[in-house]
Amino acid sequence: MSDAWWRDAVIYQVYVRSFADSRGDGIGDLAGLRSRLDYVHALGVDGLWLNPCYPSPQADHGYDVADYTDIEPDYGDLGEFDALLADCHARGLKLLLDLVPNHCSSAHPWFVAALAGAPGGSERARFLFREGRGPDGSEPPNNWRGVFGGSAWTRVTEADGMPGQWYLHLFDPAQPDFDWRNPAVGDLFESILRFWFERGVDGFRIDVAHGLVKDAALPDGRMDADGHPLPNPAMWNQPEVHEVYRRWRAISDSYDGDLVLVGEIWVADVADLAHYLRPDELPQAFFFDLLVQPWRASSVRAAIERGLSQIASTGAVMTWTLSNHDVHRVVTRYGQEQPLEVEVDADPAASTRARGPVDVALGTRRARAALLLLLALPGSVYLYQGEELGLPEVMELPDGARQDPIWKRSGHTEFGRDGCRVPLPWCSSAPSFGFAAGPNPAPPWLPQPAWFAPYAVDVQEQDPESVLTLYRATLRLRRELAGDRTQPLEWLQVAGRDDVLAFRRGRLTCVVVFDEQPFELPPEWGTTVAQSGRVQGPAGMLPGQSAAWLRT
């Protein structure tokens, strides 16, 4: 495993619904992705991770899975998936799927059977059904709140037409949680893993990997003085969850090809994250600590040091990311007023979805610099589609167009995640900016703003200073400097500049200026080989809010 491909890979996350539409129906699909696969390959990444593309009623756009071993008809079928997989492998690209083991869809056959079955029956034992509290059972079994808002419990109507038991859903009522203490659940997911591994996929991203097992007592959570729920340890990160991943690791290791499992794990303590990365558990887990930091040198360095010190002790490598389908885009986050402290919330990703004014120019400069920082760090990197175009978050969606269950469950008070999921702009002058095929395509499933035009791929490919050009050049250079990337990170001292971070790996040095004052690059650090902002003059002045790579 020491030379496994995923240890320093760059993976590109594809939100299939919003990437490319081959049918002209306003919904992205697998054939659309296949038609744009050369674009992904040209970017210089090592593989793709697809958001869930299984059959689903789309209550949470695929994270409510009705069938784990088929393809959503809106996206294609298994034949189309096989063709995509073959096309990826022909280009040397790995392909990862998204696995959703915490919950399924309320339309999943198991849950349909549970609703039809009697309380106490084997069908309901696969989920977390409980009797309600109060004399008539009309109160939920505990006070847990859902991540998307509202109660985490929904009461069912029994076969006799009377109100009956309640079932747990940490997210939306259309996403009932499995009971992972029931062996049947583990057996189901072993069969799912084997189905896709035998089909040829290279691994899985695991949704809500820390949430599968709940405290068996289902105790009430604590509330603050205003009655708002505090982070509830009974809902997350239970010791028994590690047995799930020991079983899965044994399964993945039984196949050829260095298959990978990467966990989506939001935990406050990096030491807890490291527990998932022990040699017999997950090979990788996202290090979200860096993602939630403000654009401040001290905060970013501290996060990097926490990750390297805690994760290295397990023998695992870091898995870095600054973006995904659940958080505001990097340009927007870095263009907003920055918080002094990272918020701890029942939904940690919520702290990344602030409203308020955005300085897009400032955010873009910082996002460009952050890319060079990210790609210079030791380990693997995950990039989210559209970040390579420098897209800001689409904050101004019409209320009637919003589809995220967060928007609905919050009583239309929280925008949610639709703004980072708006379909991509490919051609500045085409209908739907080239997202959909055909001369008269249906409107995209989420409306694109007019200001997308200058961000379109066709525009950026002609601009040597564009964000897309920077991504392609930096990713290409990262491959060329593979020898330096095997070296450990060594921090460099920068006298009198608390706003400058610099570190060396082999002969490569990465420098990031977080404030506005330019920084004179020491000549002994080498020659500039990459820059997010143009280095000026013979003295080598790196502008503020910029980054550079130098090599001796």
Side-chain angles (χ1 to χ4, degrees), residues 365-386:
R365 290 167 61 197
R366 290 174 169 177
R368 291 170 62 98
L371 173 69
L372 268 65
L373 169 70
L374 193 69
L375 293 180
L377 293 171
S380 63
V381 175
Y382 280 67
L383 306 172
Y384 178 53
Q385 68 176 44

Side-chain angles (χ1 to χ4, degrees), residues 81 146 174 244 336 396 402 409:
F81 175 82
V244 175
Q336 291 175 313
E396 70 277 18
R402 297 186 184 277
R409 296 281 291 171

Side-chain angles (χ1 to χ4, degrees), residues 278-293:
R278 290 173 285 204
D280 61 343
E281 295 192 42
L282 296 177
Q284 293 190 299
F286 292 111
F287 184 67
F288 292 122
D289 193 18
L290 181 62
L291 184 153
V292 299
Q293 299 304 320

Side-chain angles (χ1 to χ4, degrees), residues 297-317:
S298 58
S299 301
V300 168
R301 175 168 176 167
I304 293 170
E305 290 177 337
R306 281 193 295 273
L308 293 176
S309 64
Q310 295 282 354
I311 304 305
S313 65
T314 69
V317 294

Side-chain angles (χ1 to χ4, degrees), residues 12 72 265 361 409:
Y12 182 81
E72 164 61 38
I265 300 170
R409 296 281 291 171

